[in-house]
Amino acid sequence: MIILDSLTEFQRLYGTGKKWLRCMEAVNNVENIRPGVFHSVGDSLVYRLASGAEPQRAEFEGHRRYFDVHYYLEGSEDIEFAAKSRLNIFAPYSDETDRELFTGSGEKITARKGHVIIFENHEASRFRPEKNVKKVILKVTIEESYFLNK
């Protein structure tokens, strides 16, 4: 998991690369979208606005074809994450949903307003959302991926 303190830090680290520029395009469009409606930018990114507490899953969720990027506009929520290799498979990977579910325990952090969190594909996570959370959830293809700080 990559935890960035601000959108400015995200832009500084990932300001190049087509898919990362598309993330900024999506974030800049947040005033024009309704909560829960998926939008896309090109063929490498889908995004939506999440507002308020969403249903909580007991299991950890992991992905293989897309990175999840969460940009927090308001509020906070607790996130628990762990390497998939340290967790137990609950539901095997589905290519249709790009989702696999796990049980176990992991490290906990609290994401707050302004944070940008990038969930890497070797990890799985679960959330303890608060009612006051508002965030943009971006699903970014892993193709041609790179992380400058690794």
Side-chain angles (χ1 to χ4, degrees):
M1 177 182 298
I2 298 171
I3 304 165
L4 305 172
D5 290 329
S6 68
L7 198 55
T8 302
E9 186 177 4
F10 176 83
Q11 287 177 295
R12 183 178 58 78
L13 291 171
Y14 305 103
T16 60
K18 193 172 192 176
K19 73 174 142 195
W20 303 118
L21 292 172
R22 287 180 172 170
C23 285
M24 290 308 305
E25 184 179 335
V27 167
N28 290 331
N29 189 43
V30 72
E31 296 300 322
N32 298 316
I33 61 175
R34 293 177 295 153
V37 177
F38 277 92
H39 298 267
S40 67
V41 179
D43 59 353
S44 60
L45 173 99
V46 294
Y47 65 101
R48 71 182 175 94
L49 179 65
S51 187
E54 296 191 338
Q56 182 177 323
R57 174 176 272 138
E59 295 82 30
F60 287 81
E61 182 177 308
H63 305 282
R64 295 185 185 178
R65 290 192 329 259
Y66 293 89
F67 295 112
D68 273 4
V69 178
H70 292 212
Y71 172 51
Y72 287 81
L73 301 167
E74 296 176 11
S76 64
E77 71 182 341
D78 293 333
I79 303 169
E80 187 174 5
F81 67 99
K84 292 177 187 177
S85 61
R86 293 186 41 225
L87 299 170
N88 303 307
I89 295 174
F90 179 79
Y93 180 74
S94 167
D95 192 49
E96 293 176 2
T97 62
D98 187 42
R99 184 178 300 139
E100 54 194 328
L101 302 177
F102 301 87
T103 59
S105 62
E107 183 180 340
K108 296 176 184 175
I109 64 144
T110 299
R112 301 188 191 307
K113 180 179 178 177
H115 284 171
V116 178
I117 311 292
I118 302 171
F119 298 89
E120 297 181 271
N121 287 50
H122 70 278
E123 297 170 326
S125 58
R126 62 181 167 192
F127 300 85
R128 303 277 187 247
E130 298 291 331
K131 291 179 184 176
N132 67 345
V133 74
K134 183 176 180 182
K135 63 183 177 178
V136 180
I137 300 172
L138 305 107
K139 295 195 173 283
V140 184
T141 183
I142 62 167
E143 295 173 2
E144 300 176 25
S145 64
Y146 61 95
F147 290 116
L148 299 176
N149 64 343
K150 292 225 167 197

